[in-house]
Amino acid sequence: MGKGRVEAFTDGVVAIIITIMVLELKVPHGEDFSALAPLWPIFFSYVLSFINVGIYWNNLHNMFHTVQRVDGRVLWANLNLLFWLSLMPVTTAFMGENHFAPVPVAVYGVDLALCAVAYNILVIKLRHLHGAETTFAKAVGQDRKGKISLALYLAAIALTFVSQWIGVAIYVLVATIWFVPDKRFERLIEK
């Protein structure tokens, strides 16, 4: 089957996820800058999650641009990823509203790790469907960045119980690694 519907559905779900996250931001009570101070954990959590959801959306866009078709396994793998992404508003609010307490930071990391696992499953299903010699498979390559990200998430979850700020710092590090534009797909598409 064609890929158009899965792309449109994915775009719609990502838009809803971001909308739900922004609705968690509350209007400050007061008219000076000091009214903003109590909201910094929630705002920071939102920014981090917005970047993470945006990274997945960007990568999904690149992936689906290079494939020709999808099948039932790809659809279910994509739904699996969207499920874990759809929990991002809850884990974001949990972390921000609890001022980065260790358990909420770890729960946020579990969600990030499960998103990474689901993304890897989707990559495997797309590679299986299209073969090893396609533009998609060549662009993904060994996906070291994805594997390193998952390892960092797992380390962050454990280290959060040493200091939640280590966990948060690792989540920011992984987002920064992915925030730098990924040229793997663009290079192969231009050829």
Side-chain angles (χ1 to χ4, degrees), residues 7-164:
E7 288 177 299
F9 180 75
T10 300
D11 287 349
V13 171
V14 168
I16 291 167
I17 291 167
I18 290 173
T19 301
I20 292 169
M21 285 190 317
V22 78
L23 291 175
E24 288 294 321
L25 297 177
K26 304 299 181 217
V27 176
H29 298 291
E31 57 189 41
D32 55 7
F33 288 114
S34 64
L36 297 173
L39 301 177
W40 82 264
I42 295 166
F43 182 71
F44 178 79
S45 297
Y46 168 75
V47 170
L48 182 59
S49 293
F50 184 92
I51 290 169
N52 276 303
V53 172
I55 288 165
Y56 277 105
W57 177 81
N58 190 16
N59 285 324
L60 288 168
H61 169 76
N62 286 334
M63 284 179 15
F64 284 121
H65 185 71
T66 60
V67 299
Q68 302 305 312
R69 63 193 187 285
V70 296
D71 65 4
R73 290 176 293 208
V74 169
L75 292 176
W76 281 109
N78 190 59
L79 280 172
N80 180 38
L81 173 57
L82 293 176
F83 172 78
W84 296 112
L85 283 173
S86 74
L87 294 178
M88 194 65 59
V90 176
T91 60
T92 300
F94 187 44
M95 183 171 69
E97 290 179 15
N98 290 294
H99 296 252
F100 302 99
V103 170
V105 171
V107 168
Y108 183 78
V110 168
D111 190 24
L112 289 173
L114 291 170
C115 286
V117 168
Y119 178 82
N120 286 329
I121 291 169
L122 178 60
V123 166
I124 290 166
K125 296 303 178 190
L126 284 167
R127 186 179 283 146
H128 182 267
L129 179 64
H130 290 84
E133 296 305 315
T134 60
T135 301
F136 167 76
K138 290 176 183 175
V140 170
Q142 296 299 315
D143 195 23
R144 281 178 281 220
K145 205 163 151 177
K147 292 173 184 167
I148 290 169
S149 298
L150 178 57
L152 286 171
Y153 288 145
L154 295 174
I157 294 164
L159 291 171
T160 291
F161 295 104
V162 174
S163 168
Q164 68 267 35

